[in-house]
Amino acid sequence: MKQIIIQKALSNIHSEKNKHQEEYACKMHDLFADKNYEKLDKELTKTVIENARKQANNLPPDIKKEKELQQKIETLKKQYHLENVQMEYSCPLCKDAGYIDGQMCKCLKKEVSNLLLKESGFENLEDFSQAIKTSGKLEECFSLMKKWCHSDFKKNLIYISGPTGVGKTHLVKCMAKELIERGKFVKIVTAFAMNQDFKEFSRKHDDELLNKYLECEILFVDDLGTEPLYRNVTVEYLYLIINERKMKKLPTVITSNLDLSDLMDRYDERISSRIIDRQTSITIYMDGQDRRLKNK
């Protein structure tokens, strides 16, 4: 599933690159049709390849010839008044390749996260700068979470609890946007939807049903506690996800209507102990009037 999403995201990026190439070719049409340009371009390409071969074999490259050909092409461009026309890219970092030195570029991570967000139903994200201004007594909470989004994630589990309507999902949307803008691979899922995957896995044992939660860079689970409890399924696989992500030091953000005592009553001590671990967790309670931040 992860590779399918990455390939789809890469295809979207390359599609944008093709559009830019077509626009560039249209602007450069007259120059490209010039036989002199065609000859110079072929000779320059041949020279660049030859120089690369020489350098690989510790031989002196013909830099002078390469520069002369480049100058002739620039002179020809001026004749067509195209000297300032440049190829445009949606991402100047990777030039719409999606990768830099074999690593995923921020633009590819962002596109992957956007595709995952569309699957989750959280397409409309929100901005911290505006949210903090209007958060009132919850300003400290929003500011803390923005700071966490730019941290090294030593605190790799965030538990945000409070009654319906106090702004938990609002906060999560701000966090998701901030992380995506950092180039993080983000997945948001409701506890109900994740629990359905647990149930399906118990029947089919399709590893991908769990891997998408185990492997994503940052996982958001919204409304924990609203899902039905399936015997030998919900608690067991929820613990697996939380524990494995803790072991791998992959950040997990959970929102819930359950306070810590209700959490322990509904699930078990294994899950609650992993969530409230002082060394690696931040627990936040939002009640719309006041805020209590624990384990800062």
Side-chain angles (χ1 to χ4, degrees), residues 159-163 166 168 254-259 284-286:
Y159 186 74
I160 306 169
S161 68
V166 295
K168 300 188 298 296
I254 299 171
T255 73
S256 177
N257 294 345
L258 304 175
D259 63 23
I284 297 173
Y285 181 76
M286 299 171 64

Side-chain angles (χ1 to χ4, degrees), residues 94-110:
C94 68
K95 296 183 177 179
D96 297 340
Y99 287 88
I100 301 176
D101 298 328
Q103 300 296 317
M104 289 176 68
C105 180
K106 286 184 177 181
C107 69
L108 180 55
K109 286 186 175 183
K110 184 174 182 179

Side-chain angles (χ1 to χ4, degrees), residues 199-216:
K199 185 179 181 181
E200 193 74 0
F201 177 80
S202 69
R203 294 193 306 108
K204 294 184 177 180
H205 296 286
D206 179 356
D207 289 344
E208 189 51 46
L209 289 166
L210 296 186
N211 286 343
K212 59 186 177 182
Y213 303 117
L214 292 169
E215 296 176 355
C216 64

Side-chain angles (χ1 to χ4, degrees), residues 124-221:
N124 298 318
L125 298 183
E126 298 174 26
D127 192 85
F128 261 123
S129 59
Q130 185 61 34
I132 290 174
K133 291 179 184 178
T134 59
S135 57
K137 292 183 178 181
L138 294 172
E139 180 180 346
E140 184 182 348
C141 175
F142 276 75
S143 296
L144 175 66
M145 287 298 93
K146 182 175 182 180
K147 184 178 179 180
W148 177 81
C149 288
H150 292 271
S151 72
D152 56 7
F153 304 125
K154 287 183 179 178
K155 300 278 189 177
N156 55 43
L157 193 145
I158 309 296
Y159 186 74
I160 306 169
S161 68
T164 301
V166 295
K168 300 188 298 296
T169 302
H170 177 45
L171 176 57
V172 162
K173 288 182 177 182
C174 291
M175 293 172 70
K177 182 176 181 181
E178 197 78 12
L179 290 164
I180 288 171
E181 289 178 350
R182 281 191 64 192
K184 298 299 181 181
F185 189 160
V186 171
K187 179 174 180 60
I188 300 179
V189 65
T190 63
F192 182 88
M194 185 169 71
N195 195 41
Q196 294 305 114
D197 280 337
F198 293 166
K199 185 179 181 181
E200 193 74 0
F201 177 80
S202 69
R203 294 193 306 108
K204 294 184 177 180
H205 296 286
D206 179 356
D207 289 344
E208 189 51 46
L209 289 166
L210 296 186
N211 286 343
K212 59 186 177 182
Y213 303 117
L214 292 169
E215 296 176 355
C216 64
E217 194 169 1
I218 299 174
L219 174 65
F220 286 84
V221 181

Side-chain angles (χ1 to χ4, degrees), residues 279-290:
Q279 297 299 316
T280 58
S281 301
I282 297 175
T283 302
I284 297 173
Y285 181 76
M286 299 171 64
D287 63 7
Q289 298 297 322
D290 196 0

